Amino acid sequence: MTYRVDLAFRVEEALATLPDKGQQEIFETIAAALIRPDNWPPPGGRHGALCWGPLSWVAFAAYPDGIEVYDMGWAG
């Protein structure tokens, strides 16, 4: 099954300010969240979840066909 990933506007802006290493880690953290639908919150966007990377985190909402990342952080 193919899933979609949407990024909130503020996430896109934040990604643009990160160095390549930070962008790569955020995308790896998003991918880790995406491939584990059993850890998603209930679909519909009313509940959120966090996924942690080594120096990053992403907050996301779930929908039947994918996730929307609405916040992120990188501590590198």
Side-chain angles (χ1 to χ4, degrees):
M1 177 175 205
T2 302
Y3 293 113
R4 69 175 173 84
V5 175
D6 292 328
L7 302 177
F9 181 70
R10 71 173 173 245
V11 171
E12 290 178 357
E13 285 184 333
L15 278 168
T17 66
L18 293 179
D20 290 342
K21 183 178 180 179
Q23 289 180 7
Q24 179 179 344
E25 184 172 331
I26 291 293
F27 285 122
E28 289 172 0
T29 305
I30 291 169
L34 189 63
I35 64 170
R36 294 190 309 234
D38 52 315
N39 292 332
W40 293 0
R46 294 178 187 244
H47 301 280
L50 290 173
C51 184
W52 298 91
L55 294 174
S56 63
W57 57 269
V58 295
F60 63 97
Y63 297 89
D65 62 344
I67 62 174
E68 177 186 15
V69 178
Y70 59 81
D71 205 0
M72 49 130 298
W74 184 63

